[in-house]
Amino acid sequence: MDEFLKVMKALSDPNRVMMLKALQERELCVCEIQALIGLAQPTVSKHLKILEKAGLVSSHKKGLWVNYRLADGARSPYAAVILGNLRHWLGDDPAVKALIEGAVTVSREEIKGRP
């Protein structure tokens, strides 16, 4: 029951749901998620930690960047089912559509002012 509740609680915040929808498009770093959703860096990091503990996202470090992506669902069968279904949900929501369009083009280099 604990694993089920972790996943459900992780999904209880609209910002975390938006993060998952953005990560459906591609891997993103904290600054890219921050730019897309408009939250402060510590808030984004806190949300990502909750999603990671629930088995919904995973992270890996590449150079200076920590990249986040959707988890493969191996840690939690509940997370796996949710992630599979989430691909088909909310696609007609205007805020989600705008977020997905932004996720395709957001660039950490532009955000940080690097070439």
Side-chain angles (χ1 to χ4, degrees), residues 4-24:
F4 174 77
L5 293 175
K6 271 186 202 174
V7 172
M8 294 301 115
K9 286 179 182 179
L11 294 171
S12 68
D13 184 281
N15 290 313
R16 291 193 288 265
V17 173
M18 294 295 271
M19 289 178 190
L20 292 174
K21 292 302 287 182
L23 290 169
Q24 285 179 345

Side-chain angles (χ1 to χ4, degrees), residues 39-54:
L39 297 174
Q41 182 273 322
T43 304
V44 170
S45 293
K46 178 184 165 191
H47 283 309
L48 287 167
K49 183 181 279 189
I50 291 167
L51 292 169
E52 199 162 18
K53 285 184 178 181

Side-chain angles (χ1 to χ4, degrees), residues 6-108:
K6 271 186 202 174
V7 172
M8 294 301 115
K9 286 179 182 179
L11 294 171
S12 68
D13 184 281
N15 290 313
R16 291 193 288 265
V17 173
M18 294 295 271
M19 289 178 190
L20 292 174
K21 292 302 287 182
L23 290 169
Q24 285 179 345
E25 295 306 306
R26 66 182 181 93
E27 284 187 357
L28 298 165
C29 69
V30 172
C31 70
E32 290 168 327
I33 295 169
Q34 182 183 353
L36 287 168
I37 297 180
L39 297 174
Q41 182 273 322
T43 304
V44 170
S45 293
K46 178 184 165 191
H47 283 309
L48 287 167
K49 183 181 279 189
I50 291 167
L51 292 169
E52 199 162 18
K53 285 184 178 181
L56 293 163
V57 301
S58 62
S59 64
H60 70 281
K61 190 167 176 138
K62 184 175 182 183
L64 298 174
W65 306 100
V66 177
N67 295 307
Y68 289 86
R69 63 177 158 227
L70 293 181
D72 61 10
R75 280 191 42 217
S76 167
Y78 308 110
V81 169
I82 288 294
L83 291 171
N85 286 315
L86 189 61
R87 289 205 174 275
H88 308 291
W89 297 338
L90 302 172
D92 57 345
D93 183 276
V96 171
K97 282 182 181 180
L99 176 83
I100 289 170
E101 288 173 12
V104 173
T105 60
V106 70
S107 165
R108 64 187 75 185

